[in-house]
Amino acid sequence: MAGLFEQLRIGSMTLKNRTFMAPMSLGYESQDGCVNQAMQDYWEARAKGGVGCIILDALSVDPRVPYLGNTLCFRSEESVAAFARFTQAIHAYGCKVIPQITHPGPESISAFFGVPPVASSSYLNSMGQKTRELTLEEIPGIIQAYARTALQAKQAGFDGIELHCAHAYMLLGSFLSPMRNKRTDCYGGCLENRARLLYEVLDAIKEACGRDFPVILRISGSERDPHGNTVEDIRSLVPSLIAHGVDAFEVSGGTQYEQCNKIIPCNGEPAALNLTEAKAIREVSTVPVILVGKINEPRLAMKLVEQDVDAVVLGRALISDPEFVNKTQQGRFDEIAPCAACGIGCIGEQTKRRKATCVINPAAGRERELAMTPCAQKKRVLVIGGGIGGMAAARYAAMRGCEAVLLERSQCLGGQLNIACVPPHKQEVSKWVEFLKKELKRLNVTVQMGCEANPQTVEQYHSDVVIVATGAVPQLPPVEGLDPADALTADRVLAGQVVIPGGNVLVVGGGMVGLELCEYLVQNQRDPLQVTLVEMTDKVGGDMVVNNYVPAMKRLAAMPVKLLTNCKLCAVGSDWAQLDCGGQTQKLENLTHIVYACGYRAENALYQQLKDAFPEVYCIGDASSPRNALEAVRGACETVAKL
């Protein structure tokens, strides 16, 4: 087997190493379908960071059929020329670049413009919209659109293309999957018929671009559904796919609608989760097999190529650190900003129709704006609070050449992250704490533990800039009978300050923390346990990323946990609670514990004391207003970037 940093040949393309950057829809695209400056900066940073080949985000073969929003496409000769300038910039770093071309088909947002999205058959797409079955007369035109787009990619200087046919998703995927394809003509029924459109698209691309123009096929090694394609189905197609022009396989898995957490695996999903299928396909393939799916550890990437596959695709690992590949090759593992598979910035922001970002790297997509260049004048920066926001602020200040000091009143850094990594499936969050600790040491940040800051303390440091990151404290609801001095909050349970081995437990608050607390209680159950969770709104987990929410709800359904929505806590006693559930009063009795997971309120008293006493004082993170880790680090980055 080869090593991660050996060359790889795919068709006429030779990569300098065996790493690819995954296509990820991040919302950076321009309305005209071309690469804008922000996107170019984003991709250039990864090319400079050493990746062997960048796979662009989905590029539609039909400009009239966008994918999620502003979709990459070739609209004209001018756009081809614009892409040519982009590919030239990427090539300057010795990096190859290919677009992922696709007809979005059922996943097109064309329905918002009054045009029903087309698919292999009529069904509800991922947005709950009805698709229209493609007619036989329409198929030749779509095949030619694929060929035309591939040729335009070649003319624009791309080194090849990737063809999307995975996840029972988009047009080719919907034809290949028996879960979507219910046709009764020559494009439906048996596996070979369902693969017919894919074969014809491959043939047309090779005829237009030449047999040596590289085509990588992204495919689900298994759809992981009893009604979907199995790995044996895909293995049986491999020889024919190669004969029709596939030069390499990128093996993913699962389906987009039913198993979004398998497509973009987050908390609790195994690393390299498509490895078994990739190895099975590699046994019958005469062309390279590339693995994708939660490969975010450098040593894992190296091991996979040394032992199992021909190359690996890095996705969110390259969002969190564009220098991942170079640092891996140089053995600088501790300096890699780690992906913790949280999905908060890369997925969560997109579902809110905002541009994607990253908790540990808020400069993703804003490389030019948030570059940590040296300050024009070296400053002394004092950071108060050692949670993720404060640690990030001290790190960024040191990166800009400032003299940074961090004060933390407890005896450990990390703040609420030390609790956030305790629930089941959340251990990866601890990566951020360990990384930032090592970075503070590497960058010679002075860290003072056990230091309770006050105005007099701050005065002693003679700092030019003071950044207050003192965090937040748990919030309690205004409920009759609730004594704040006796109230038990989720953070105390997760921190191990209060042990609940069993009993009849009421959890108040159905956000992410409340749900995670329920799982934590069940995991640590030693005696008979029943958990009831109450939430005021009509949905629990409203603040969770869908890729974490879906598996969490499946797990909770199998646990002794009862979820009550549209229920407001009205009054409590020592062992009872009264609820208003849709206008109906309900009383829960014989409770052994009531645990509150009702959010946080800012702890900013120190900031109020300092803001007018010192010339340059900033308040970031929860101390400014309760927020998640993404917003805390982003605030730190934006603040330090302005110094």
Side-chain angles (χ1 to χ4, degrees):
M1 295 292 290
L4 185 67
F5 297 101
E6 293 185 29
Q7 290 186 345
L8 174 66
R9 187 169 181 82
I10 296 177
S12 60
M13 175 173 63
T14 301
L15 279 67
K16 64 181 179 182
N17 59 46
R18 293 169 181 251
T19 63
F20 288 78
M21 179 178 181
M24 294 170 281
S25 297
L26 304 175
Y28 301 159
E29 296 85 356
S30 298
Q31 286 187 334
D32 64 359
C34 288
V35 176
N36 55 42
Q37 188 63 59
M39 291 184 79
Q40 179 152 334
D41 292 342
Y42 165 76
W43 275 315
E44 277 198 58
R46 278 76 193 166
K48 184 179 179 181
V51 71
C53 180
I54 291 171
I55 307 173
L56 294 197
D57 301 349
L59 188 149
S60 179
V61 301
D62 187 341
R64 301 167 300 176
V65 184
Y67 175 37
L68 293 175
N70 296 329
T71 307
L72 296 177
C73 60
F74 299 117
R75 292 185 182 274
S76 61
E77 291 184 6
E78 289 78 12
S79 68
V80 173
F83 274 102
R85 291 189 291 272
F86 165 72
T87 59
Q88 186 177 15
I90 297 298
H91 288 152
Y93 298 98
C95 178
K96 303 298 183 183
V97 57
I98 64 176
Q100 182 190 79
I101 71 168
T102 185
H103 188 297
E107 272 52 71
S108 172
I109 61 171
S110 62
F112 294 110
F113 310 110
V115 181
V118 296
S120 56
S121 302
S122 179
Y123 56 85
L124 293 182
N125 68 7
S126 56
M127 294 167 280
Q129 300 163 340
K130 188 176 180 181
T131 63
R132 177 177 66 80
E133 181 175 308
L134 203 62
T135 67
L136 286 173
E137 291 74 20
E138 293 174 288
I139 289 177
I142 287 178
I143 293 171
Q144 287 309 306
Y146 271 100
R148 180 176 62 253
T149 302
L151 180 59
Q152 289 171 318
K154 184 177 182 180
Q155 293 167 342
F158 285 101
D159 300 285
I161 63 161
E162 176 172 82
L163 201 56
H164 193 297
C165 190
H167 314 146
Y169 195 62
M170 296 200 265
L171 192 62
L172 292 181
S174 80
F175 267 80
L176 187 63
S177 175
M179 299 176 68
R180 311 283 183 249
N181 188 337
K182 309 300 179 182
R183 301 177 74 97
T184 56
D185 56 22
C186 62
Y187 289 97
C190 67
L191 179 60
E192 283 297 317
N193 276 3
R194 299 198 309 272
R196 186 184 302 276
L197 179 59
L198 175 57
Y199 292 155
E200 292 174 348
V201 166
L202 286 166
D203 291 343
I205 289 172
K206 289 294 183 174
E207 182 178 352
C209 301
R211 293 292 300 181
D212 63 341
F213 187 64
V215 175
I216 299 173
L217 183 68
R218 182 179 176 95
I219 200 162
S220 287
S222 168
E223 290 180 344
R224 297 196 179 102
D225 189 285
H227 306 291
N229 287 317
T230 67
V231 69
E232 290 305 319
D233 291 329
I234 303 304
R235 277 167 55 98
S236 71
L237 290 177
V238 166
S240 296
L241 289 168
I242 294 172
H244 282 280
V246 170
D247 297 292
F249 294 95
E250 182 196 350
V251 180
S252 185
T255 61
Q256 185 67 28
Y257 304 173
E258 295 79 6
Q259 298 175 322
C260 60
N261 55 301
K262 301 296 182 182
I263 308 304
I264 309 177
C266 292
N267 294 158
E269 297 294 342
L273 76 168
N274 300 307
L275 178 58
T276 299
E277 292 81 5
K279 290 171 67 174
I281 291 170
R282 196 171 187 274
E283 290 173 352
V284 296
S285 176
T286 56
V287 299
V289 172
I290 308 161
L291 177 64
V292 68
K294 201 176 180 181
I295 304 170
N296 54 16
E297 294 281 354
R299 294 176 184 84
L300 173 62
M302 296 169 71
K303 180 181 177 182
L304 288 168
V305 174
E306 289 169 0
Q307 298 182 4
D308 301 305
V309 293
D310 297 291
V312 291
V313 179
L314 307 169
R316 289 167 295 163
L318 287 176
I319 298 180
S320 61
D321 195 331
E323 293 283 333
F324 181 100
V325 177
N326 281 344
K327 289 177 182 178
T328 298
Q329 187 169 18
Q330 295 160 9
R332 297 159 54 203
F333 303 126
D334 288 346
E335 295 179 37
I336 296 174
C339 171
C342 69
I344 296 171
C346 51
I347 302 170
E349 291 296 280
Q350 273 284 271
T351 58
K352 298 171 185 173
R353 297 291 184 263
R354 295 199 289 251
K355 293 180 179 179
T357 181
C358 175
V359 169
I360 204 66
N361 179 26
R366 302 169 66 185
E367 279 74 15
R368 190 170 299 223
E369 176 188 355
L370 296 179
M372 289 298 139
T373 54
C375 287
Q377 179 182 354
K378 183 177 179 180
K379 296 184 177 182
R380 290 171 295 182
V381 178
L382 178 65
V383 180
I384 304 170
I388 188 171
M391 295 172 77
R395 174 183 178 240
Y396 289 130
M399 290 171 66
R400 296 206 64 193
C402 296
E403 179 185 323
V405 176
L406 174 64
L407 306 184
E408 166 56 38
R409 65 182 176 184
S410 74
Q411 293 298 328
C412 70
L413 296 173
Q416 292 184 33
L417 288 187
N418 294 316
I419 298 173
C421 66
V422 170
H425 313 292
K426 292 293 294 293
Q427 288 70 33
E428 288 181 275
V429 169
S430 65
K431 292 180 181 179
W432 293 333
V433 180
E434 291 306 304
F435 166 70
L436 289 170
K437 284 180 181 177
K438 291 171 181 174
E439 281 291 278
L440 296 181
K441 183 176 180 180
R442 182 180 70 86
L443 294 166
N444 297 314
V445 174
T446 300
V447 178
Q448 299 285 348
M449 310 295 293
C451 181
E452 184 76 46
N454 55 47
Q456 293 72 36
T457 307
V458 174
E459 183 70 44
Q460 294 172 7
Y461 282 92
H462 304 289
S463 301
D464 301 303
V465 178
V466 179
I467 299 176
V468 180
T470 45
V473 293
Q475 182 170 265
L476 295 171
V479 172
E480 180 183 342
L482 174 59
D483 183 354
D486 294 332
L488 178 57
T489 53
D491 63 319
R492 292 178 61 200
V493 178
L494 293 172
Q497 297 172 7
V498 176
V499 177
I500 303 179
N504 186 13
V505 182
L506 174 64
V507 175
V508 182
M512 178 177 67
V513 174
L515 294 180
E516 290 177 352
L517 176 63
C518 291
E519 288 202 70
Y520 172 83
L521 293 172
V522 174
Q523 183 190 57
N524 289 276
Q525 174 186 354
R526 299 297 180 266
D527 299 321
L529 174 70
Q530 176 60 49
V531 180
T532 302
L533 179 145
V534 295
E535 165 58 33
M536 293 176 59
T537 68
D538 59 0
K539 179 185 177 182
V540 297
D543 56 344
M544 295 181 70
V545 174
V546 63
N547 298 56
N548 292 325
Y549 174 81
V550 170
M553 295 307 292
K554 290 181 180 178
R555 294 191 301 266
L556 286 166
M559 295 179 179
V561 176
K562 185 177 182 180
L563 305 176
L564 300 178
T565 56
N566 292 312
C567 284
K568 181 180 179 181
L569 182 67
C570 299
V572 296
S574 59
D575 63 350
W576 59 269
Q578 183 175 308
L579 310 175
D580 179 349
C581 297
Q584 299 294 318
T585 299
Q586 182 175 347
K587 190 172 184 180
L588 304 180
E589 298 182 299
N590 301 316
L591 298 173
T592 58
H593 301 83
I594 302 177
V595 188
Y596 297 92
C598 303
Y600 292 84
R601 58 180 175 82
E603 179 59 80
N604 58 16
L606 180 61
Y607 171 71
Q608 297 301 326
Q609 293 176 302
L610 299 178
K611 64 178 183 178
D612 296 323
F614 295 89
E616 196 169 356
V617 182
Y618 301 95
C619 188
I620 67 169
D622 284 346
S624 175
S625 63
R627 56 193 63 197
N628 59 25
L630 169 72
E631 294 164 322
V633 178
R634 179 164 57 196
C637 185
E638 291 172 343
T639 297
V640 175
K642 294 184 296 185
L643 298 182

